[in-house]
Short mmCIF file of all heavy atoms in Angstrom, two decimals:
data_model
loop_
_atom_site.label_atom_id
_atom_site.label_comp_id
_atom_site.label_asym_id
_atom_site.label_seq_id
_atom_site.Cartn_x
_atom_site.Cartn_y
_atom_site.Cartn_z
N ALA A 12 -6.47 18.53 -12.76
CA ALA A 12 -5.67 19.43 -11.90
C ALA A 12 -6.08 19.26 -10.44
O ALA A 12 -5.24 19.28 -9.52
CB ALA A 12 -5.86 20.88 -12.36
N MET A 13 -7.37 19.07 -10.24
CA MET A 13 -7.88 18.92 -8.88
C MET A 13 -7.36 17.63 -8.23
O MET A 13 -6.86 17.64 -7.10
CB MET A 13 -9.40 18.90 -8.93
CG MET A 13 -10.02 18.74 -7.59
SD MET A 13 -11.80 18.70 -7.81
CE MET A 13 -12.29 19.08 -6.18
N ILE A 14 -7.47 16.51 -8.95
CA ILE A 14 -7.08 15.24 -8.32
C ILE A 14 -5.57 15.18 -8.08
O ILE A 14 -5.12 14.55 -7.13
CB ILE A 14 -7.56 14.00 -9.13
CG1 ILE A 14 -7.01 13.99 -10.54
CG2 ILE A 14 -9.06 13.91 -9.12
CD1 ILE A 14 -7.56 12.86 -11.41
N CYS A 15 -4.81 15.86 -8.95
CA CYS A 15 -3.36 15.86 -8.74
C CYS A 15 -2.98 16.80 -7.61
O CYS A 15 -2.09 16.50 -6.81
CB CYS A 15 -2.62 16.25 -10.03
SG CYS A 15 -2.78 14.96 -11.28
N GLY A 16 -3.65 17.95 -7.52
CA GLY A 16 -3.27 18.97 -6.54
C GLY A 16 -3.81 18.74 -5.14
O GLY A 16 -3.29 19.29 -4.16
N MET A 17 -4.85 17.92 -5.01
CA MET A 17 -5.48 17.81 -3.69
C MET A 17 -4.60 17.02 -2.71
O MET A 17 -3.90 16.08 -3.12
CB MET A 17 -6.88 17.18 -3.78
CG MET A 17 -6.88 15.74 -4.15
SD MET A 17 -8.58 15.16 -4.41
CE MET A 17 -8.22 13.45 -4.78
N PRO A 18 -4.62 17.42 -1.44
CA PRO A 18 -3.88 16.64 -0.45
C PRO A 18 -4.54 15.29 -0.26
O PRO A 18 -5.76 15.16 -0.33
CB PRO A 18 -3.98 17.49 0.83
CG PRO A 18 -5.17 18.37 0.63
CD PRO A 18 -5.35 18.55 -0.85
N LYS A 19 -3.70 14.26 -0.04
CA LYS A 19 -4.22 12.89 0.05
C LYS A 19 -3.29 12.05 0.93
O LYS A 19 -2.13 12.41 1.15
CB LYS A 19 -4.31 12.29 -1.35
CG LYS A 19 -3.02 12.39 -2.14
CD LYS A 19 -3.14 11.92 -3.59
CE LYS A 19 -3.86 12.85 -4.55
NZ LYS A 19 -3.09 14.07 -4.93
N ALA A 20 -3.82 10.94 1.41
CA ALA A 20 -2.99 9.97 2.14
C ALA A 20 -2.82 8.75 1.26
O ALA A 20 -3.75 8.34 0.58
CB ALA A 20 -3.65 9.59 3.46
N GLU A 21 -1.63 8.18 1.30
CA GLU A 21 -1.41 6.90 0.61
C GLU A 21 -1.29 5.81 1.68
O GLU A 21 -0.41 5.87 2.55
CB GLU A 21 -0.18 6.92 -0.28
CG GLU A 21 0.04 5.53 -0.90
CD GLU A 21 0.64 5.51 -2.29
OE1 GLU A 21 1.75 6.04 -2.47
OE2 GLU A 21 -0.02 4.97 -3.20
N LEU A 22 -2.18 4.81 1.60
CA LEU A 22 -2.30 3.79 2.66
C LEU A 22 -1.94 2.40 2.17
O LEU A 22 -1.99 1.44 2.96
CB LEU A 22 -3.75 3.78 3.18
CG LEU A 22 -4.28 5.13 3.65
CD1 LEU A 22 -5.73 5.00 4.09
CD2 LEU A 22 -3.42 5.71 4.77
N HIS A 23 -1.62 2.26 0.89
CA HIS A 23 -1.30 0.93 0.36
C HIS A 23 -0.15 1.08 -0.63
O HIS A 23 -0.38 1.25 -1.82
CB HIS A 23 -2.55 0.33 -0.28
CG HIS A 23 -2.38 -1.09 -0.72
ND1 HIS A 23 -3.45 -1.95 -0.91
CD2 HIS A 23 -1.28 -1.83 -1.02
CE1 HIS A 23 -3.02 -3.14 -1.30
NE2 HIS A 23 -1.69 -3.09 -1.38
N ILE A 24 1.04 1.09 -0.08
CA ILE A 24 2.26 1.18 -0.89
C ILE A 24 3.28 0.24 -0.24
O ILE A 24 3.61 0.40 0.94
CB ILE A 24 2.78 2.65 -0.94
CG1 ILE A 24 4.29 2.75 -1.25
CG2 ILE A 24 2.55 3.42 0.36
CD1 ILE A 24 4.60 2.69 -2.70
N HIS A 25 3.71 -0.75 -1.02
CA HIS A 25 4.79 -1.64 -0.54
C HIS A 25 6.08 -0.93 -0.88
O HIS A 25 6.35 -0.70 -2.07
CB HIS A 25 4.73 -2.99 -1.24
CG HIS A 25 3.43 -3.70 -1.04
ND1 HIS A 25 3.25 -4.65 -0.08
CD2 HIS A 25 2.23 -3.56 -1.66
CE1 HIS A 25 2.00 -5.09 -0.12
NE2 HIS A 25 1.35 -4.44 -1.06
N ILE A 26 6.86 -0.58 0.11
CA ILE A 26 8.03 0.24 -0.20
C ILE A 26 8.99 -0.50 -1.13
O ILE A 26 9.62 0.11 -1.99
CB ILE A 26 8.69 0.79 1.09
CG1 ILE A 26 9.58 1.97 0.75
CG2 ILE A 26 9.41 -0.29 1.89
CD1 ILE A 26 8.87 3.15 0.09
N GLU A 27 9.05 -1.83 -1.00
CA GLU A 27 9.90 -2.59 -1.94
C GLU A 27 9.35 -2.50 -3.38
O GLU A 27 10.10 -2.74 -4.33
CB GLU A 27 10.00 -4.06 -1.53
CG GLU A 27 10.75 -4.31 -0.23
CD GLU A 27 9.84 -4.31 1.01
OE1 GLU A 27 8.66 -3.87 0.89
OE2 GLU A 27 10.29 -4.75 2.08
N GLY A 28 8.08 -2.18 -3.51
CA GLY A 28 7.46 -2.05 -4.83
C GLY A 28 7.66 -0.66 -5.42
O GLY A 28 7.15 -0.36 -6.50
N SER A 29 8.39 0.20 -4.70
CA SER A 29 8.72 1.52 -5.24
C SER A 29 10.15 1.55 -5.79
O SER A 29 10.62 2.59 -6.22
CB SER A 29 8.58 2.60 -4.15
OG SER A 29 9.66 2.50 -3.23
N LEU A 30 10.79 0.39 -5.76
CA LEU A 30 12.18 0.29 -6.21
C LEU A 30 12.21 0.32 -7.74
O LEU A 30 11.83 -0.66 -8.40
CB LEU A 30 12.74 -1.04 -5.67
CG LEU A 30 14.23 -1.26 -5.49
CD1 LEU A 30 14.90 -0.10 -4.77
CD2 LEU A 30 14.44 -2.55 -4.70
N GLU A 31 12.63 1.44 -8.29
CA GLU A 31 12.67 1.60 -9.75
C GLU A 31 13.85 0.80 -10.32
O GLU A 31 14.88 0.64 -9.65
CB GLU A 31 12.85 3.08 -10.11
CG GLU A 31 11.65 3.97 -9.76
CD GLU A 31 10.46 3.77 -10.70
OE1 GLU A 31 10.63 3.14 -11.77
OE2 GLU A 31 9.35 4.22 -10.35
N PRO A 32 13.73 0.33 -11.56
CA PRO A 32 14.82 -0.45 -12.17
C PRO A 32 16.18 0.26 -12.09
O PRO A 32 17.21 -0.38 -11.84
CB PRO A 32 14.38 -0.61 -13.63
CG PRO A 32 12.89 -0.56 -13.56
CD PRO A 32 12.55 0.39 -12.44
N GLU A 33 16.19 1.58 -12.26
CA GLU A 33 17.46 2.32 -12.20
C GLU A 33 18.11 2.16 -10.82
O GLU A 33 19.32 1.98 -10.71
CB GLU A 33 17.25 3.82 -12.48
CG GLU A 33 16.91 4.15 -13.93
CD GLU A 33 15.45 3.83 -14.30
OE1 GLU A 33 14.64 3.48 -13.40
OE2 GLU A 33 15.13 3.93 -15.50
N LEU A 34 17.28 2.24 -9.77
CA LEU A 34 17.82 2.10 -8.40
C LEU A 34 18.21 0.63 -8.15
O LEU A 34 19.21 0.37 -7.46
CB LEU A 34 16.80 2.62 -7.37
CG LEU A 34 17.28 2.71 -5.93
CD1 LEU A 34 18.61 3.48 -5.80
CD2 LEU A 34 16.22 3.36 -5.03
N ILE A 35 17.46 -0.30 -8.70
CA ILE A 35 17.83 -1.72 -8.55
C ILE A 35 19.24 -1.93 -9.11
O ILE A 35 20.10 -2.55 -8.46
CB ILE A 35 16.82 -2.64 -9.29
CG1 ILE A 35 15.46 -2.61 -8.56
CG2 ILE A 35 17.35 -4.08 -9.38
CD1 ILE A 35 14.38 -3.49 -9.18
#
Side-chain angles (χ1 to χ4, degrees):
M13 180 182 199
I14 60 186
C15 291
M17 69 186 182
K19 53 185 75 73
E21 177 147 59
L22 306 178
H23 187 159
I24 157 84
H25 301 263
I26 199 60
E27 293 91 347
S29 74
L30 203 47
E31 293 286 347
E33 289 77 7
L34 188 51
I35 291 181

